[in-house]
């Protein structure tokens, strides 16, 4: 686990330290756009089996690194493992996304929830982290992650994905105290979960706030950001003699970057609706920035991918603090060749 | 058609003139949350029949005004009538939304498109406008509308709704000239369509850019805003001796309000992810603002609806230029009583 890290560009860039080339990784880099991923997923039988079997999670985590000279690995897992460990019964319905067998809606159901012990109830995740670190053997750093409390709460209250957030927003507006109770226990659970990933070997962590952008500005601060901030404050920020950088990513959060940058995190993930140069002018001396190529650029030719990649690099400009990524997860229909073109363009620089 | 307008709050507020109370209307106010709408829709047989039969379109347009003291009527129609009139064959698949029988994807298919003559090929819309004006008899003004060229193009190229915009963004990045050709003909078509609505009696018009927020900032300006601006410049801005205000609404456009305000429009529609007071500080002396209650507030109690409504009014503050609305269309599951509470709270003021 303590083998020397041979490529530390990601960790340096997240801390705004100089690097020899902009580091790059891709959200969902271990995913359905890779035929080898689809083969392992097939062998696993189900998506949850894939997540719950450390050897298979490790296998798919490493797959994109075999193809592309990426600068980081990210733990293969799902954002909903924490509520699953809280007893909600996560399963996946083909073509419909995640579902919980036991959604929580009433004050009594929410009061009965407790933060799981990650080493006991999410041991398959920490086992996967340890195994991936061993297999990576210092090649690149490993990123751990979790969903944000607000994002987890939306799935837990709605029972699955949602477009209108009828139930969780009904709770937000009609019984905010109960929602705050849920978000409080989720903050404790996520902090413990990320600390367990760090103890097991995660060298950076990221909090995915997929649905923070569905809130009003005031609602975002009260129901999402404050809980991410509480988690940031509870994290073990030093491990194996290095700082463990924390990245916050709120999809649709481009209007709230100043607030996010004041949370104590090291870096902000940006979706593609914000110009990264403008974002840097707004917050760039306080945090690093990760992003933010439109994932749909990868439907175009290799030449256009390289050109659009250069535009993002140019917009960020010189100086430290940029981790290249897409503005959201890579789409399943993308040709892996496009990713090769992207990674090459990032490392070649502006 | 020229009966005196007895309630002109909407038109005055859109032009930033003083009003005795903040005007209010609701996006999709004639819609599925109303049992009387569902009954008419049932009688019509299909959604497209409802749009294509002026008597039925008029009937559902007026339904919400019978229940609530709203300050405007909005033409009942669909944003996709223009591409339908261009020969793409619009139909609706239950639970899946709009579909085009003949999507356009190749340069040849796009080159073959022509802007329809609205009085000939969209006569059912202008007939509906004339009928609604007659039935309204000066009670409140009638708003006409269209989808934005970019939003129409997404449906026309994808063949229906999309989450990833694979085809239209592939075109955007790989063959922008062809996409510009499509957006050009759509701009001509939308301008002619809105001018025909104005000639038939629409007293204000609104352009719905539902998918502008899926673009990068540079992409938004190049592929959506510039075409809306071209339409604004082509519109007949005076009718029946009054100015015809134009409102632009880009869902997810909160980061680009300054650019939108410079388009020559009179008002901007805001979704709920921007604080309306902040928006006013950014652009409020140039344009009026319409919005922006989170539509999910209507899942809460009447008391909370009134309270959240007051918060939006307070955030906007004193002075002219506010048209109250939701930040997006009303959800079908909402209890109509909530709308009554909202309208009452708006008219009661802060």
């Amino acid at each position: 686990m303590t083998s020397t890290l041979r490529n530390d560009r990601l960790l340096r860039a997240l801390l705004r330290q100089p690097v020899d080339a902009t580091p790059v990784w891709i959200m969902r880099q271990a995913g359905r756009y890779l035929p080898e991923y689809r083969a392992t997923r097939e062998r696993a039988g189900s998506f949850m089996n894939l997540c719950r079997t450390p050897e298979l999670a490790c296998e798919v985590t490493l797959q994109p690194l075999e193809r592309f000279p990426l600068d980081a690995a990210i733990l293969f897992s799902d954002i909903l493992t924490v509520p699953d460990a809280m007893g909600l019964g996560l399963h996946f319905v083909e073509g419909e996304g995640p579902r919980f067998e036991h959604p929580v809606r009433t004050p009594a159901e929410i009061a009965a929830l407790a933060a799981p012990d990650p080493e006991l109830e999410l041991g398959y995740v920490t086992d996967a982290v340890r195994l991936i670190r061993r297999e990576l053997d210092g090649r690149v750093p490993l990123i751990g992650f979790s969903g944000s409390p607000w994002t987890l709460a939306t799935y837990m209250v709605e029972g699955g994905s949602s477009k209108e957030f009828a139930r969780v927003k009904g709770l937000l507006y009609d019984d905010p105290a109960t929602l705050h109770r849920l978000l409080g226990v989720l903050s404790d659970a996520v902090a413990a979960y990320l600390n367990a990933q760090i103890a097991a070997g995660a060298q950076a962590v990221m909090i995915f706030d997929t649905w923070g952008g569905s809130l009003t500005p005031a609602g975002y601060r009260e129901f999402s950001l404050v809980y991410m901030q509480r988690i940031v404050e509870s994290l073990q920020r030093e491990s194996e003699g290095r700082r463990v950088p924390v990245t916050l990513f709120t999809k649709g959060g481009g209007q709230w970057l100043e607030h996010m940058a004041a949370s104590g995190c090291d870096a902000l993930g940006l979706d593609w609706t914000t110009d990264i140069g403008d974002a840097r002018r707004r917050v760039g001396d306080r945090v690093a920035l990760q992003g933010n190529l439109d994932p749909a650029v990868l439907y175009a030719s290799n030449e256009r991918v390289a050109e659009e990649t250069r535009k993002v690099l140019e917009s960020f400009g010189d100086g430290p603090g940029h981790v290249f990524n897409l503005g959201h997860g890579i789409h399943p229909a993308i040709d892996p060749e496009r990713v090769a073109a992207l990674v090459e363009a990032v490392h070649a620089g502006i």
Side-chain angles (χ1 to χ4, degrees), chain A:
Chain A
M1 182 168 126
T2 49
S3 59
T4 310
L5 183 60
R6 294 193 295 282
N7 174 347
D8 66 354
R9 279 174 190 154
L10 175 90
L11 301 184
R12 295 183 60 84
L14 287 172
L15 298 172
R16 305 184 63 252
Q17 296 165 357
V19 285
D20 62 329
T22 301
V24 53
W25 68 278
I26 308 251
M27 288 191 271
R28 293 196 190 277
Q29 64 188 23
R32 280 194 282 158
Y33 75 107
L34 290 177
E36 58 269 34
Y37 168 87
R38 297 195 296 269
T40 310
R41 160 74 183 73
E42 187 73 20
R43 263 199 295 136
S46 77
F47 179 78
M48 279 314 288
N49 268 358
L50 183 51
C51 294
R52 286 205 184 104
T53 311
E55 293 71 24
L56 297 177
C58 175
E59 183 178 312
V60 297
T61 297
L62 299 179
Q63 284 169 349
L65 301 173
E66 304 302 321
R67 277 188 181 251
F68 318 114
L70 295 158
D71 297 296
I74 179 161
L75 167 69
F76 182 84
S77 191
D78 191 77
I79 59 164
L80 300 180
T81 50
V82 167
D84 183 55
M86 291 167 105
L88 274 71
L90 178 62
H91 56 112
F92 285 80
V93 181
E94 203 60 43
E96 289 190 34
R99 285 268 181 284
F100 283 119
E101 215 174 318
H102 311 291
V104 289
R105 284 163 191 170
T106 65
E109 284 164 349
I110 286 169
L113 294 171
D117 179 330
E119 276 296 347
L120 287 177
E121 289 154 285
L122 291 155
Y124 64 89
V125 175
T126 48
D127 284 348
V129 169
R130 282 182 282 265
L131 186 57
I132 297 163
R133 276 297 304 274
R134 199 164 67 218
E135 295 295 319
L136 277 173
D137 193 30
R139 209 163 133 192
V140 293
L142 175 63
I143 303 166
F145 73 92
S146 173
S148 73
W150 163 252
T151 293
L152 299 182
T154 66
Y155 290 97
M156 293 169 76
V157 174
E158 300 293 339
S161 300
S162 177
K163 269 177 69 180
E164 303 192 331
F165 302 105
R167 289 190 178 93
V168 70
K169 288 223 181 155
L171 201 60
L172 185 156
Y173 288 113
D174 257 340
D175 187 3
T178 294
L179 182 57
H180 279 301
R181 206 165 306 126
L182 173 58
L183 295 166
V185 68
L186 283 170
S187 299
D188 294 344
V190 168
Y193 182 53
L194 289 176
N195 276 330
Q197 291 183 34
I198 292 167
Q203 290 146 297
V205 293
M206 181 157 168
I207 302 176
F208 287 90
D209 186 30
T210 313
W211 298 119
S214 71
L215 292 164
T216 64
Y220 175 70
R221 294 192 298 273
E222 179 178 348
F223 295 98
S224 184
L225 185 59
V226 74
Y227 292 100
M228 293 198 283
Q229 181 162 358
R230 191 196 285 188
I231 293 164
V232 170
E233 286 162 4
S234 310
L235 289 182
Q236 183 59 43
R237 300 289 276 279
E238 187 101 8
S239 183
E240 304 171 45
R242 287 190 83 127
R243 181 156 171 96
V244 179
V246 183
T247 303
L248 299 191
F249 174 62
T250 293
K251 177 133 194 300
Q255 296 182 87
W256 310 322
L257 300 180
E258 291 84 350
H259 294 288
M260 297 172 74
S263 68
C265 68
D266 299 286
L268 298 182
L270 300 178
D271 70 27
W272 65 95
T273 66
T274 302
D275 181 273
I276 195 167
D278 288 339
R280 190 181 186 190
R281 282 182 280 281
R282 287 164 59 193
V283 299
D285 58 342
R286 279 173 285 163
V287 289
L289 295 173
Q290 178 172 282
N292 70 343
L293 189 72
D294 180 358
V297 168
L298 301 180
Y299 291 112
S301 64
N302 280 358
E303 292 66 35
R304 281 299 286 183
V305 168
E307 194 181 323
E308 295 294 325
T309 297
R310 277 191 297 271
K311 282 188 196 167
V312 173
L313 292 169
E314 268 169 43
S315 174
F316 183 86
D318 290 331
H322 185 201
V323 172
F324 199 96
N325 208 315
L326 301 180
H328 201 218
I330 186 168
H331 301 171
I334 295 301
D335 180 343
E337 263 194 52
R338 302 295 171 264
V339 176
L342 181 158
V343 173
E344 194 186 323
V346 175
H347 285 158
I350 297 175

